[in-house]
Amino acid sequence: MNVPFIAGNWKMNGLRAHGLALARDLAEWLETVRPGVQMLICPPATLLSDIATLAGSGPLLIGAQDCHYRASGAHTGDISAAMLADAGASHVILGHSERRSQGEDSALVAAKAAAALSSGLRPLICIGETLVEREAGLAGTIVARQLRDSLPPGLDADSVIIAYEPVWAIGTGRHADAGTIAGMHALIKAELATLLPDGGDVRVLYGGSVTAANAAGILHLPGVDGVLVGGASLKPADFKAIALAGLGGA
Ligand code: PGA
């Protein structure tokens, strides 16, 4: 049984003073919470190194939001997985819908995930359908295909995390309902079981308008191993409340 995994995606938010204060507050708070929850924050790349330094060897995990699929070379403006690992990241979000909507396809996500793994980073791969796809009855087909095509070869359950993030729920204040989340997580887990030898053990997070108010209901659904939180991860009291919801409100 996995402990709940609570991940925060800061997106393109966080100037130095505010970002470091937010991370320090979370790192100190997490030390005081009994083990039973894993917490990851994914700040902008500019803050990775400083935040990784302040988190030190404590329990707060640090991740990046994207990486390039090549290890180095003539790719102006891009950042390789090895550079992120060098800056202190242990995880990297890949295939977020905000990147897929700019033309990133699952094959590219798989190539980035392979690069992440070879640099020692654990990829957190996002999949999810648009509203048009859901209304056309294609949610399951789309999500299963994204999953299959976004996974690099040679994975085991512990080396990857999946986040189911319906695009229509991201940043809209409209989270998916319990039946939708449980159904999609069951589908994703069944698909993972066919793709990896120990695929049933891969953690699957839910993301999309998770708040302090709805987190407990979502985290206790079958097949939900944690949450990927955008907006609420920038509000310390809300993000802590979400983590505590994973502990059963302790
Ligand atoms: P949100 O974003 O929590 O603000 O909806 C989630 C995400 O994009 O990962």
Side-chain angles (χ1 to χ4, degrees), residues 3-4 6 36-37 215-216 219-220 240-250:
V3 300
I6 311 297
V37 65
L219 281 162
H220 293 105
K240 291 172 191 171
I242 291 168
L244 289 177
L247 291 173

Side-chain angles (χ1 to χ4, degrees), residues 7-9 11 93 96-98 126 163 165 169-174 206-211 228-233:
N9 173 12
K11 309 191 181 187
I93 296 172
H96 191 281
S97 65
E98 287 154 16
C126 302
E165 296 207 302
I170 295 177
T172 59
R174 180 185 164 203
Y206 167 78
S209 296
V210 175
T211 64
L228 177 55
V229 185
S233 73

Side-chain angles (χ1 to χ4, degrees), residues 13 22 146 154 163 169 193 209:
N13 295 292
L22 185 58
Q146 281 182 348
S209 296

Side-chain angles (χ1 to χ4, degrees), residues 30-98:
L30 194 56
E31 298 271 8
T32 69
V33 178
R34 61 186 159 98
V37 65
Q38 279 197 289
M39 214 168 189
L40 167 75
I41 55 170
C42 300
T46 47
L47 298 183
L48 273 178
S49 178
D50 284 340
I51 290 181
T53 300
L54 74 82
S57 56
L60 183 65
L61 301 169
I62 312 301
Q65 300 176 14
D66 185 38
C67 70
H68 198 271
Y69 70 97
R70 291 214 187 271
S72 63
H75 303 284
T76 302
D78 282 312
I79 304 177
S80 73
M83 291 168 179
L84 298 173
D86 192 40
S90 58
H91 292 67
V92 59
I93 296 172
L94 295 174
H96 191 281
S97 65
E98 287 154 16

Side-chain angles (χ1 to χ4, degrees), residues 77-156:
D78 282 312
I79 304 177
S80 73
M83 291 168 179
L84 298 173
D86 192 40
S90 58
H91 292 67
V92 59
I93 296 172
L94 295 174
H96 191 281
S97 65
E98 287 154 16
R99 300 200 61 85
R100 290 185 188 263
S101 69
Q102 291 174 38
E104 188 161 315
D105 64 12
S106 294
L108 180 55
V109 174
K112 290 180 173 191
L117 289 167
S118 59
S119 293
L121 294 180
R122 189 174 296 182
L124 196 172
I125 298 177
C126 302
I127 52 177
E129 80 286 358
T130 64
L131 189 58
V132 171
E133 289 161 346
R134 171 154 291 275
E135 286 176 348
L138 294 172
T141 314
I142 295 285
V143 164
R145 188 191 307 144
Q146 281 182 348
L147 180 65
R148 274 196 306 277
D149 295 350
S150 299
L151 295 180
L155 282 176
D156 59 50

